Amino acid sequence: MMTACSHIAGIRTVTPSARGCEECLKIGSPWVHLRLCRSCGHVGCCDDSPNRHATAHFHETGHPVIRSAQPGEDWFWCYVDEVAFLAS
Ligand SMILES: [Zn+2]
Ligand SMILES: [Zn+2]
Ligand SMILES: [Zn+2]
């Protein structure tokens, strides 16, 4: 899939920082799906989750690209360009 996103070139392989959403684990909150920041390895919850920590992480850090951390899901999302693309 071709995209207009220039940030994909800057991402790297990261090690997930936690087995679940870091912030939700601290406060004991549930989440729906997990998202992995491809700049630093932060694990946050998706926008269907009550606390939306993945999006909050983008606003805090400016890290543009996440990928789904769900098994079998292989897509990325750029918050800056608001485009989704598949891993190649
Ligand atoms: Zn982008
Ligand atoms: Zn969370
Ligand atoms: Zn990050």
mmCIF file of all heavy atoms in Angstrom, residues 3-9 64-65 77-83 85, ligand 1:
data_model
loop_
_atom_site.group_PDB
_atom_site.id
_atom_site.type_symbol
_atom_site.label_atom_id
_atom_site.label_comp_id
_atom_site.label_asym_id
_atom_site.label_seq_id
_atom_site.Cartn_x
_atom_site.Cartn_y
_atom_site.Cartn_z
ATOM 1 N N THR A 3 1.582 5.150 0.627
ATOM 2 C CA THR A 3 1.010 6.202 1.455
ATOM 3 C C THR A 3 1.825 7.476 1.294
ATOM 4 O O THR A 3 2.933 7.463 0.775
ATOM 5 C CB THR A 3 1.024 5.834 2.946
ATOM 6 O OG1 THR A 3 2.363 5.953 3.425
ATOM 7 C CG2 THR A 3 0.537 4.429 3.182
ATOM 8 N N ALA A 4 1.265 8.560 1.778
ATOM 9 C CA ALA A 4 1.964 9.833 1.747
ATOM 10 C C ALA A 4 2.708 10.086 3.048
ATOM 11 O O ALA A 4 3.199 11.180 3.278
ATOM 12 C CB ALA A 4 0.960 10.959 1.504
ATOM 13 N N CYS A 5 2.813 9.081 3.878
ATOM 14 C CA CYS A 5 3.427 9.272 5.193
ATOM 15 C C CYS A 5 4.940 9.222 5.103
ATOM 16 O O CYS A 5 5.510 8.256 4.593
ATOM 17 C CB CYS A 5 2.931 8.196 6.153
ATOM 18 S SG CYS A 5 3.755 8.241 7.753
ATOM 19 N N SER A 6 5.583 10.253 5.603
ATOM 20 C CA SER A 6 7.040 10.300 5.599
ATOM 21 C C SER A 6 7.628 9.739 6.888
ATOM 22 O O SER A 6 8.833 9.597 7.009
ATOM 23 C CB SER A 6 7.509 11.748 5.422
ATOM 24 O OG SER A 6 7.017 12.549 6.475
ATOM 25 N N HIS A 7 6.779 9.443 7.858
ATOM 26 C CA HIS A 7 7.276 9.022 9.168
ATOM 27 C C HIS A 7 7.649 7.547 9.221
ATOM 28 O O HIS A 7 8.391 7.127 10.086
ATOM 29 C CB HIS A 7 6.220 9.305 10.233
ATOM 30 C CG HIS A 7 5.779 10.736 10.258
ATOM 31 N ND1 HIS A 7 4.665 11.183 9.597
ATOM 32 C CD2 HIS A 7 6.352 11.807 10.839
ATOM 33 C CE1 HIS A 7 4.548 12.484 9.794
ATOM 34 N NE2 HIS A 7 5.553 12.892 10.532
ATOM 35 N N ILE A 8 7.096 6.776 8.286
ATOM 36 C CA ILE A 8 7.344 5.335 8.310
ATOM 37 C C ILE A 8 8.827 5.035 8.178
ATOM 38 O O ILE A 8 9.332 4.047 8.702
ATOM 39 C CB ILE A 8 6.507 4.640 7.201
ATOM 40 C CG1 ILE A 8 6.595 3.126 7.310
ATOM 41 C CG2 ILE A 8 6.930 5.100 5.809
ATOM 42 C CD1 ILE A 8 5.791 2.553 8.436
ATOM 43 N N ALA A 9 9.547 5.919 7.486
ATOM 44 C CA ALA A 9 10.980 5.700 7.314
ATOM 45 C C ALA A 9 11.737 5.833 8.627
ATOM 46 O O ALA A 9 12.853 5.334 8.758
ATOM 47 C CB ALA A 9 11.533 6.690 6.296
ATOM 48 N N PRO A 64 4.998 9.625 16.165
ATOM 49 C CA PRO A 64 3.907 9.655 15.183
ATOM 50 C C PRO A 64 3.278 8.313 14.849
ATOM 51 O O PRO A 64 2.108 8.267 14.485
ATOM 52 C CB PRO A 64 4.573 10.242 13.931
ATOM 53 C CG PRO A 64 6.014 9.850 14.052
ATOM 54 C CD PRO A 64 6.313 9.846 15.528
ATOM 55 N N VAL A 65 4.045 7.234 14.936
ATOM 56 C CA VAL A 65 3.564 5.977 14.345
ATOM 57 C C VAL A 65 3.384 4.895 15.409
ATOM 58 O O VAL A 65 4.291 4.617 16.199
ATOM 59 C CB VAL A 65 4.530 5.470 13.252
ATOM 60 C CG1 VAL A 65 4.039 4.139 12.679
ATOM 61 C CG2 VAL A 65 4.660 6.503 12.139
ATOM 62 N N TRP A 77 -0.451 2.967 12.086
ATOM 63 C CA TRP A 77 -1.246 4.199 12.005
ATOM 64 C C TRP A 77 -0.320 5.370 12.287
ATOM 65 O O TRP A 77 0.467 5.326 13.252
ATOM 66 C CB TRP A 77 -2.379 4.171 13.028
ATOM 67 C CG TRP A 77 -3.131 5.462 13.135
ATOM 68 C CD1 TRP A 77 -3.009 6.417 14.110
ATOM 69 C CD2 TRP A 77 -4.125 5.954 12.218
ATOM 70 N NE1 TRP A 77 -3.868 7.454 13.847
ATOM 71 C CE2 TRP A 77 -4.557 7.197 12.702
ATOM 72 C CE3 TRP A 77 -4.691 5.445 11.031
ATOM 73 C CZ2 TRP A 77 -5.528 7.959 12.038
ATOM 74 C CZ3 TRP A 77 -5.653 6.202 10.386
ATOM 75 C CH2 TRP A 77 -6.066 7.436 10.881
ATOM 76 N N CYS A 78 -0.400 6.379 11.410
ATOM 77 C CA CYS A 78 0.352 7.612 11.658
ATOM 78 C C CYS A 78 -0.615 8.677 12.148
ATOM 79 O O CYS A 78 -1.563 9.028 11.432
ATOM 80 C CB CYS A 78 1.056 8.076 10.384
ATOM 81 S SG CYS A 78 1.908 9.660 10.624
ATOM 82 N N TYR A 79 -0.371 9.181 13.358
ATOM 83 C CA TYR A 79 -1.252 10.193 13.933
ATOM 84 C C TYR A 79 -1.123 11.523 13.211
ATOM 85 O O TYR A 79 -2.069 12.303 13.135
ATOM 86 C CB TYR A 79 -0.906 10.417 15.414
ATOM 87 C CG TYR A 79 -1.405 9.333 16.324
ATOM 88 C CD1 TYR A 79 -0.520 8.439 16.910
ATOM 89 C CD2 TYR A 79 -2.759 9.212 16.621
ATOM 90 C CE1 TYR A 79 -0.968 7.452 17.765
ATOM 91 C CE2 TYR A 79 -3.207 8.232 17.475
ATOM 92 C CZ TYR A 79 -2.318 7.347 18.039
ATOM 93 O OH TYR A 79 -2.758 6.371 18.880
ATOM 94 N N VAL A 80 0.065 11.810 12.695
ATOM 95 C CA VAL A 80 0.288 13.105 12.060
ATOM 96 C C VAL A 80 -0.438 13.176 10.724
ATOM 97 O O VAL A 80 -1.164 14.127 10.440
ATOM 98 C CB VAL A 80 1.792 13.361 11.877
ATOM 99 C CG1 VAL A 80 2.029 14.672 11.147
ATOM 100 C CG2 VAL A 80 2.494 13.381 13.235
ATOM 101 N N ASP A 81 -0.252 12.165 9.907
ATOM 102 C CA ASP A 81 -0.866 12.139 8.576
ATOM 103 C C ASP A 81 -2.267 11.541 8.596
ATOM 104 O O ASP A 81 -3.001 11.627 7.616
ATOM 105 C CB ASP A 81 0.005 11.345 7.606
ATOM 106 C CG ASP A 81 1.350 12.004 7.394
ATOM 107 O OD1 ASP A 81 1.370 13.206 7.121
ATOM 108 O OD2 ASP A 81 2.378 11.312 7.523
ATOM 109 N N GLU A 82 -2.609 10.866 9.702
ATOM 110 C CA GLU A 82 -3.900 10.196 9.827
ATOM 111 C C GLU A 82 -4.125 9.211 8.687
ATOM 112 O O GLU A 82 -5.142 9.223 8.002
ATOM 113 C CB GLU A 82 -5.042 11.221 9.914
ATOM 114 C CG GLU A 82 -4.898 12.104 11.145
ATOM 115 C CD GLU A 82 -6.122 12.971 11.396
ATOM 116 O OE1 GLU A 82 -6.689 13.479 10.407
ATOM 117 O OE2 GLU A 82 -6.509 13.126 12.567
ATOM 118 N N VAL A 83 -3.108 8.402 8.488
ATOM 119 C CA VAL A 83 -3.212 7.332 7.487
ATOM 120 C C VAL A 83 -2.854 6.003 8.138
ATOM 121 O O VAL A 83 -2.005 5.932 9.032
ATOM 122 C CB VAL A 83 -2.297 7.567 6.274
ATOM 123 C CG1 VAL A 83 -2.792 8.741 5.453
ATOM 124 C CG2 VAL A 83 -0.855 7.748 6.688
ATOM 125 N N PHE A 85 -1.578 2.011 7.270
ATOM 126 C CA PHE A 85 -0.914 1.240 6.222
ATOM 127 C C PHE A 85 -0.528 -0.111 6.774
ATOM 128 O O PHE A 85 -0.399 -0.293 7.985
ATOM 129 C CB PHE A 85 0.302 1.988 5.656
ATOM 130 C CG PHE A 85 1.101 2.738 6.686
ATOM 131 C CD1 PHE A 85 2.191 2.155 7.280
ATOM 132 C CD2 PHE A 85 0.743 4.031 7.062
ATOM 133 C CE1 PHE A 85 2.916 2.834 8.235
ATOM 134 C CE2 PHE A 85 1.491 4.726 8.018
ATOM 135 C CZ PHE A 85 2.570 4.123 8.594
HETATM 136 ZN ZN ZN B 1 3.205 10.128 8.873
#
